[in-house]
């Protein structure tokens, strides 16, 4: 049974599905996105008379405004032209359900074979490299992940590799104190690769399980950024050939299409293994996950669903789809 069938079955009838804590968290965090998309869908369907070219033009515009991405919007609109005819959808309810079904099915198809898991070394320290522009919540994410890993019984080390942004070293050091883990740091403007080298040697010598590496994110100078990240990666791989196990790009979900643009630029400069989507609970732009899947083909691995220490969650594709679309499917659009 696919995502659409599962979600439709769960949300059909008068009873809302019973939710575990994690499902409830997704549902609450996606409320703004769900309501915004629902409002845009309602607006589109309010003047619905027939499925013609004007309708599909309006649908395309609605999807773009919902931050699913231009390519995704065009693809869905084109596929829906065939789907609506095939199903002979005529009522507002039938058309609404067909639109939501196509969104869910495309989201599921683009995620086939996607690896949403974080990968750890079989022996020796695991190294996660974090990249992303300033202000997306990268350092906070590192702190929260350190908290989670420590709770799991792992010995965690942080490396303050963003030596250029004012306050970045101090911010990571504060997280180290808060969580109770060590931080390798050097004075501001130091060579980031030298910081990472010291951190890798310390992780090996003192038997750390996981090393989390912060990096600078100055996209305005992509050439320097690419060289810097490449140098850091070389230092890591020279000492531990199988590392880094993950290169994770942090994106701020509240920035919508800007996040997608950042992801494309970072993907062009450095090999990435996955995405961390921060601030998902504070945005109406949750549709960006569909754009990331369809246009970037990078797995979302972690999501920020709140400001508390334990609000950094593993990404669950099915729970995300249910949180974004479940209640919209239960609605009567002909009422």
């Amino acid at each position: 049974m696919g995502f659409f069938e599962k979600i439709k079955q769960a949300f059909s009838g008068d009873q809302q599905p019973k939710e575990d804590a994690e499902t409830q968290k997704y549902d609450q965090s996606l409320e703004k996105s769900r309501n915004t998309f629902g409002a845009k869908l309602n607006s589109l369907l309010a003047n619905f008379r027939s499925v013609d070219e004007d309708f599909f033009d309006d649908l395309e515009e609605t999807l773009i405004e919902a931050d699913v991405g231009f390519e995704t919007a065009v693809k869905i609109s084109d596929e829906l032209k065939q789907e609506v005819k095939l199903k002979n959808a005529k009522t507002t309810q039938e058309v609404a359900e067909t639109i939501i079904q196509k969104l869910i099915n495309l989201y599921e198809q683009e995620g086939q074979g996607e690896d949403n898991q974080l990968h750890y070394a079989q022996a020796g320290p695991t190294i996660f490299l974090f990249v992303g522009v300033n202000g997306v919540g990268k350092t906070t994410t590192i702190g929260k992940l350190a908290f989670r890993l420590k709770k799991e019984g792992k010995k965690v080390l942080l490396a303050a590799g963003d030596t250029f942004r004012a306050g970045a070293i101090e911010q990571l050091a504060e997280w180290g104190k808060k969580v109770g883990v060590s931080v390798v740091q050097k004075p501001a403007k130091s060579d980031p690769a030298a910081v990472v080298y010291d951190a890798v040697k310390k992780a090996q010598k003192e038997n750390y399980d996981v090393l989390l590496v912060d990096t600078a994110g100055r996209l305005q100078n992509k050439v320097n950024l690419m060289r810097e990240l490449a140098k850091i990666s070389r230092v890591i791989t020279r000492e531990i050939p199988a590392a880094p196990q993950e290169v994770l790009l942090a994106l701020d979900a509240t920035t919508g299409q800007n996040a997608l643009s950042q992801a494309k630029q970072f993907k062009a400069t450095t090999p990435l293994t996955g995405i961390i989507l921060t601030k998902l609970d504070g945005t109406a732009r949750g549709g960006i996950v569909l754009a990331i899947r369809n246009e970037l083909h990078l797995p979302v691995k972690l999501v920020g669903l709140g400001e508390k220490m334990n609000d950094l969650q593993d990404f669950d594709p099915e729970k995300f789809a249910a949180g974004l679309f479940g209640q919209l499917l239960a609605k009567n659009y002909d009422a």
Side-chain angles (χ1 to χ4, degrees), residues 296-315:
L296 292 176
H297 301 286
L298 280 170
V300 176
K301 298 207 170 191
L302 294 167
V303 285
L305 300 180
E307 294 181 7
K308 294 177 184 172
M309 292 281 265
N310 59 355
D311 284 338
L312 182 69
Q313 303 273 335
D314 293 326
F315 179 67

Side-chain angles (χ1 to χ4, degrees), residues 15-32:
Q15 292 278 333
Q16 288 295 302
K18 288 182 180 177
E19 297 182 339
D20 57 37
E22 191 182 344
T23 302
Q24 198 170 29
K25 193 79 182 160
Y26 269 93
D27 189 55
Q28 290 168 351
S29 298
L30 289 164
E31 185 178 3
K32 286 184 184 177

Side-chain angles (χ1 to χ4, degrees), residues 11 38-39 42 93 96-97 325-335:
F11 283 85
N42 287 341
Q93 185 69 27
E97 189 169 300
F325 297 113
Q327 291 180 28
L328 297 177
L329 266 179
K331 186 178 170 170
N332 182 0
Y333 290 89
D334 286 326

Side-chain angles (χ1 to χ4, degrees), residues 54-283:
D54 286 343
F55 173 79
F56 284 110
D57 286 345
D58 290 344
L59 172 63
E60 221 168 87
E61 195 176 317
T62 298
L63 293 172
I64 291 167
E65 287 174 358
D67 284 286
V68 302
F70 177 76
E71 288 176 32
T72 311
V74 171
K75 186 174 182 178
I76 288 170
S77 183
D78 288 345
E79 288 183 12
L80 268 169
K81 287 179 185 178
Q82 304 306 316
E83 194 85 14
V84 170
K85 287 175 187 172
L86 191 69
K87 290 188 169 185
N88 198 24
K90 289 175 182 168
T91 69
T92 307
Q93 185 69 27
E94 288 169 341
V95 171
E97 189 169 300
T98 304
I99 291 169
I100 296 168
Q101 180 175 7
K102 179 52 68 178
L103 281 163
I104 294 172
N105 286 350
L106 180 65
Y107 166 77
E108 185 178 13
Q109 286 160 19
E110 293 297 336
Q112 290 295 325
E114 190 174 85
D115 183 2
N116 300 105
Q117 303 299 309
L118 292 172
H119 293 274
Y120 294 86
Q122 291 183 333
T126 291
I127 302 178
F128 291 170
L129 193 61
F130 293 80
V131 300
V133 300
N134 298 337
V136 297
K138 175 163 46 86
T139 308
T140 300
T141 296
I142 292 171
K144 287 181 178 179
L145 184 58
F147 171 75
R148 186 172 102 178
L149 294 172
K150 190 184 175 191
K151 259 178 69 173
E152 292 170 2
K154 292 182 172 68
K155 189 178 179 184
V156 182
L157 180 65
L158 309 183
D162 184 356
T163 59
F164 296 98
R165 179 171 66 87
I169 298 167
E170 291 79 4
Q171 188 185 359
L172 196 70
E174 273 303 310
W175 270 106
K177 281 183 199 169
K178 198 173 185 178
V179 176
V181 298
S182 296
V183 181
V184 175
Q185 60 189 86
K186 285 182 180 291
K189 311 298 182 190
S190 297
D191 179 4
V195 176
V196 175
Y197 174 79
D198 287 353
V200 172
K201 298 310 284 184
K202 181 178 175 70
Q204 287 176 308
K205 185 180 177 182
E206 299 179 23
N207 296 315
Y208 279 87
D209 296 307
V210 185
L211 168 61
L212 307 179
V213 180
D214 196 8
T215 64
R218 297 154 299 138
L219 262 181
Q220 63 268 30
N221 193 334
K222 285 192 285 180
V223 174
N224 283 354
L225 177 67
M226 182 170 63
R227 285 179 184 153
E228 190 179 290
L229 291 174
K231 186 179 177 184
I232 288 171
S233 292
R234 280 198 306 275
V235 165
I236 293 170
T237 306
R238 188 179 65 218
E239 301 304 318
I240 306 175
Q245 279 71 26
E246 299 281 357
V247 181
L248 300 166
L249 172 64
L251 296 174
D252 180 346
T254 65
T255 62
Q257 292 303 301
N258 282 342
L260 190 66
S261 173
Q262 287 170 24
K264 286 176 178 176
Q265 291 180 69
F266 267 99
K267 193 180 179 189
T269 64
T270 190
L272 301 170
T273 60
I275 300 281
I276 302 164
L277 205 55
T278 68
K279 309 175 193 178
L280 195 60
D281 60 305
T283 185

